[in-house]
Amino acid sequence: MVAIIGGETHRFRPLVDLYWEAGKRAGHSRDKLKVGVHSLGYVAATTQQAADEFFPGYARAMTDVGRERGWPAVTRAGFDAQRGPKGALLIGSPDEVVEKILRHSEALGGVSRFTFQMNAASLPHAKLMKAIEMLGTQVAPALHKKLPTPT
């Protein structure tokens, strides 16, 4: 698993390449080596809704962590940039999240699993449950249709 909480996802490709190289040296074929990504994510009915619901708690949490680590406070502009096509945050409508997962997988050379960290934004339980429902009923089925079947 590659944990990506910020930045541009494609910049993590050297870590994935290193993993594949180490696996090869240990005698494993690449098709047996699986890559997973753990990212901050949230799905809502619309992209605007997802962003507006996730941002306040995310900004609080990341600003608090940043204070300890010397990062600047989180801004809405920075958050929105991280939601962009190359940014690490998987936040949006089901269709947008599907497309972003596909782009991330391509940038990293193929990913077999994605996990979402949603509670970093301290969202209410009902909103998290709705997001989980959309992941299972809309995002996952769309990805299964678009990705090759694993062997």
Side-chain angles (χ1 to χ4, degrees):
M1 290 298 278
V2 180
I4 304 174
I5 63 167
E8 295 182 347
T9 300
H10 73 275
R11 297 187 71 164
F12 291 81
R13 177 65 184 260
L15 294 174
V16 174
D17 290 342
L18 181 62
Y19 166 69
W20 284 327
E21 179 60 30
K24 179 181 173 184
R25 288 182 185 190
H28 303 286
S29 64
R30 182 167 164 176
D31 65 320
K32 299 294 182 197
L33 299 171
K34 305 300 180 198
V35 175
V37 172
H38 181 73
S39 253
L40 296 171
Y42 179 63
V43 181
T46 68
T47 296
Q48 191 65 51
Q49 178 187 353
D52 290 348
E53 289 177 357
F54 197 83
F55 176 72
Y58 166 84
R60 267 191 315 276
M62 295 305 280
T63 296
D64 287 348
V65 169
R67 234 182 260 120
E68 297 170 359
R69 298 180 184 180
W71 303 340
V74 173
T75 65
R76 182 62 189 241
F79 170 76
D80 289 339
Q82 285 294 306
R83 291 188 310 107
K86 292 184 179 182
L89 299 179
L90 295 166
I91 296 169
S93 68
D95 289 340
E96 184 175 0
V97 169
V98 166
E99 292 307 314
K100 195 159 188 184
I101 287 172
L102 293 171
R103 283 193 305 272
H104 283 358
S105 181
E106 183 179 333
L108 295 173
V111 173
S112 65
R113 144 184 341 221
F114 270 85
T115 60
F116 278 51
Q117 174 70 15
M118 291 189 284
N119 67 348
S122 300
L123 291 163
H125 182 73
K127 289 183 188 228
L128 292 174
M129 294 304 292
K130 183 64 178 170
I132 291 168
E133 177 187 331
M134 285 190 278
L135 285 168
T137 61
Q138 296 177 49
V139 174
L143 287 169
H144 289 295
K145 287 180 184 174
K146 294 182 181 210
L147 293 172
T149 305
T151 55

